[in-house]
Amino acid sequence: MRKVLTFLLLGTALYLPSAAQKRAGNPIVQGWYADPEAAIWGKEYWVYPTYSDKYEKQVFFDAFSSPDLVKWTKHPHILDTAAVKWAKKAMWAPAIVEKDGKYYFFFAANDIQSDNEEGGIGVAVADKPGGPYKDYLGKPLIDKFHNKAQPIDQFVFRDKDGQHYIIYGGWRHCNIAKLNPDFKGFTPFEDGNTFKEITPAGYVEGPFMFIRNGKYYFMWSEGGWGGPHYSVAYAIADSPTGPFKRIDKILQQDTSVATGAGHHSVINVPGTDRWYIVYHRRPLTETAANNRVVCIDEMHFDENGLIVPVKITKEGVKKDKLK
């Protein structure tokens, strides 16, 4: 019996029905989203992006979960300004960690331009990955420009010894700070400083860190977020505080696929050396700054531990079910 596949024609793109998909396809979900934070909770992949729109409309976060990187479920409005009284707009770039059965969701809000404005980096908490989240502190965790770093684009990194660090910063400056165990404040470094600047050459925003084979990989975004040349570069060091010397770009536009590829996160399938990079990019049909979509592609390393430049694809990744 002949098998018949029904295709849906949407504009100029051809989409297979989800049941027939063997690859995720890029973008992985519909809608304008950016700055994705990816995580693995149990047997599910999760992606937490920024809702990409005018600042005044960025007043909530959605999340997406998948058992296999191909089929995604939307979890709408896991956090919004109704739950965070001090947040009014520009809710950006989530970071999430699990600790002692609670999920801590770090976010930026209000796009503050000085120390005299309300806003910065906040924390919300929930009992499960999809929320609902509620404000944890009732105020921002970081609301000042330490070392000239705008308090945005936070990433929370758990080191091998269990210490959590917050790494953040816009305006071409990046700080790292030791979080207290309760995530309500900070522990100074041995030199007495609370916020240590670790800005590498070329850094603009969007920091991310992971460990592989005992080395600390520090990644960040370069270029203007609204343009085609947004990209990701990285450095490697022996500690989370560096020093970090820029090695190379590993994610950028491909003018046959998409532009503005940047502001990413990375996931490693537990117990394997399979790595994925989750990022946003701008379709070739779009030029508006906020018209960004979330994509996933494979990330590989060479024999020296250097990251092989990522090939951005339309097809996306194969099914990879968590065990």
Side-chain angles (χ1 to χ4, degrees):
M1 181 178 178
R2 178 186 291 177
K3 293 182 179 179
V4 179
L5 292 179
T6 302
F7 295 93
L8 302 178
L9 190 61
L10 302 179
T12 58
L14 197 62
Y15 291 86
L16 280 169
S18 58
Q21 285 185 357
K22 294 183 179 179
R23 288 182 176 264
N26 278 324
I28 61 167
V29 297
Q30 297 302 305
W32 301 130
Y33 293 98
D35 316 329
E37 166 88 345
I40 293 175
W41 309 127
K43 293 185 178 181
E44 286 187 317
Y45 300 92
W46 283 75
V47 172
Y48 302 85
T50 299
Y51 173 64
S52 190
D53 204 334
K54 295 177 180 179
Y55 291 1
E56 292 74 18
K57 294 184 177 181
Q58 292 178 316
V59 292
F60 65 89
F61 289 104
D62 295 331
F64 301 87
S65 63
S66 173
D68 58 9
L69 293 178
V70 170
K71 183 180 179 182
W72 291 90
T73 299
K74 182 177 180 178
H75 304 265
H77 287 233
I78 62 168
L79 176 70
D80 58 35
T81 50
V84 186
K85 299 306 181 185
W86 56 268
K88 308 299 181 188
K89 63 178 182 178
M91 296 183 83
W92 291 344
I96 189 165
V97 293
E98 182 274 332
K99 188 174 187 292
D100 300 330
K102 298 282 189 181
Y103 294 85
Y104 294 88
F105 187 89
F106 294 74
F107 61 94
N110 298 355
D111 184 34
I112 63 171
Q113 304 292 301
S114 73
D115 288 345
N116 300 318
E117 300 171 54
E118 184 179 42
I121 295 170
V123 191
V125 66
D127 294 323
K128 53 187 179 179
Y133 287 83
K134 60 181 180 181
D135 193 3
Y136 182 52
L137 302 176
K139 62 181 181 179
L141 175 68
I142 304 173
D143 62 355
K144 298 291 188 290
F145 281 67
H146 304 285
N147 302 319
K148 299 181 180 179
Q150 187 187 23
I152 62 168
D153 288 6
Q154 60 294 316
F155 173 66
V156 177
F157 172 71
R158 185 182 186 273
D159 204 355
K160 294 174 288 187
D161 62 0
Q163 173 67 55
H164 286 86
Y165 295 86
I166 189 166
I167 305 167
Y168 75 93
W171 290 14
R172 300 182 182 273
H173 291 274
C174 185
N175 289 333
I176 186 170
K178 285 184 177 182
L179 284 161
N180 288 343
D182 61 6
F183 296 156
K184 292 183 177 180
F186 304 98
T187 301
F189 291 97
E190 290 183 0
D191 62 7
N193 291 318
T194 299
F195 298 94
K196 184 183 292 288
E197 185 166 7
I198 55 171
T199 309
Y203 176 92
V204 173
E205 59 196 13
F208 189 86
M209 186 176 288
F210 65 90
I211 301 174
R212 181 179 182 269
N213 293 341
K215 296 291 186 179
Y216 293 80
Y217 289 72
F218 177 41
M219 311 174 81
W220 61 88
S221 291
E222 302 183 341
W225 70 270
H229 301 291
Y230 204 46
S231 55
V232 171
Y234 80 109
I236 302 175
D238 294 320
S239 82
T241 58
F244 294 105
K245 183 178 180 181
R246 185 185 188 278
I247 295 175
D248 203 358
K249 256 180 224 234
I250 58 96
L251 180 75
Q252 57 187 316
Q253 69 176 340
D254 178 336
T255 53
S256 68
V257 180
T259 66
H263 203 127
H264 75 300
S265 57
V266 168
I267 44 177
N268 171 222
V269 178
T272 77
D273 199 32
R274 295 198 303 278
W275 297 77
Y276 298 102
I277 187 164
V278 187
Y279 63 97
H280 75 241
R281 69 193 195 197
R282 191 167 292 104
L284 295 177
T285 55
E286 307 298 326
T287 56
N290 281 310
N291 289 6
R292 299 171 289 176
V293 292
V294 171
C295 301
I296 301 179
D297 279 302
E298 296 179 6
M299 191 174 82
H300 301 280
F301 301 82
D302 68 17
E303 63 275 11
N304 298 313
L306 299 179
I307 302 174
V308 178
V310 173
K311 177 178 174 56
I312 69 171
T313 69
K314 297 176 182 177
E315 300 80 13
V317 298
K318 295 178 182 178
K319 283 187 178 181
D320 195 345
K321 195 166 184 177
L322 292 165
K323 298 178 181 179

